[in-house]
């Protein structure tokens, strides 16, 4: 790990950055449960990763729910009226980048015919079937490098549509996917 990476890691432990994300579900025309994920652009601490839409808290956000909705709308080109927040989940800390993230289960009221992602932050919008993402055959492990890690590590992953979901996004989704498929949330 470089000296700069060590400094950032030490600061991140002491001063976590608050962030909010939505877990935006909807049902398609066949009734299949679907989830919207994003692929982040290459810049930033989480560049190139598959993520839940959302981002950092801003002083103008009254609550972390407001942060999650604002950031999701900015990243996906939606309006706050396009989604219903159904449940707040327990905040989760990243393990190496210094964020504490408030996840919120949400239902999209409608899905646009064409997504209008924020080009600076979102490389692609991924619309995935929840049953395919939750399928045991999608689960695996992969050896990865990450700037804040001293050595390569084997991490749990889920593979969907040629993409790899891992890290905080996977830790948030793992307990939520089976609950969503079981009908716990009104989607």
């Amino acid at each position: 790990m470089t000296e700069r990476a060590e400094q950032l890691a030490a600061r991140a432990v002491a001063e976590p950055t608050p962030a909010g994300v939505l877990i935006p579900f909807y049902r398609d025309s066949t009734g299949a449960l679907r989830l919207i994920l994003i692929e982040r652009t290459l810049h930033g601490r989480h560049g190139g990763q598959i993520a839940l839409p959302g981002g950092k808290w801003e002083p103008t956000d009254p609550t972390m729910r407001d942060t999650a909705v604002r950031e999701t709308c900015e990243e996906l080109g939606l309006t706050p009226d396009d989604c219903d927040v159904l449940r707040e989940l327990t905040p989760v800390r990243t393990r190496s980048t210094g964020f504490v993230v408030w996840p919120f289960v949400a239902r999209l009221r409608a899905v646009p015919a064409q997504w209008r992602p924020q080009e600076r932050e979102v490389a692609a919008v991924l619309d995935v079937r929840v049953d395919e993402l939750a399928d045991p055959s999608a689960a695996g492990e992969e050896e990865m490098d990450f700037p804040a890690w001293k050595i390569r590590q084997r991490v749990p992953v889920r593979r969907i549509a040629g993409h790899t979901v891992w890290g905080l996004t996977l830790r948030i989704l793992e307990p939520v996917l089976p609950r969503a498929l079981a009908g716990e949330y009104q989607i």
Side-chain angles (χ1 to χ4, degrees), residues 2-14:
T2 67
E3 183 179 336
R4 176 72 176 140
E6 287 177 4
Q7 290 170 345
L8 289 173
R11 191 181 115 229
V13 169

Side-chain angles (χ1 to χ4, degrees), residues 51-129:
L52 293 161
K56 295 178 193 175
W57 174 83
E58 296 290 338
T60 56
D61 297 331
T63 67
M64 292 311 299
R65 175 186 173 151
D66 293 311
T67 298
V69 171
R70 176 187 54 76
E71 283 282 342
T72 296
C73 290
E74 287 174 7
E75 290 181 346
L76 297 177
L78 299 173
T79 69
D81 290 337
D82 293 329
C83 54
D84 295 318
V85 174
L86 305 175
R87 186 167 305 162
E88 177 178 354
L89 303 177
T90 303
V92 183
R93 283 189 71 143
T94 59
R95 292 188 172 145
S96 57
T97 57
F99 284 85
V100 58
V101 178
W102 277 258
F104 296 85
V105 175
R107 172 184 53 233
L108 296 180
R109 292 182 183 184
V111 176
Q114 183 172 344
W115 293 99
R116 299 178 319 271
Q118 185 180 42
E119 292 179 16
R120 191 176 136 289
E121 294 186 27
V122 179
V125 176
L126 310 176
D127 184 334
V128 300
R129 284 181 57 120

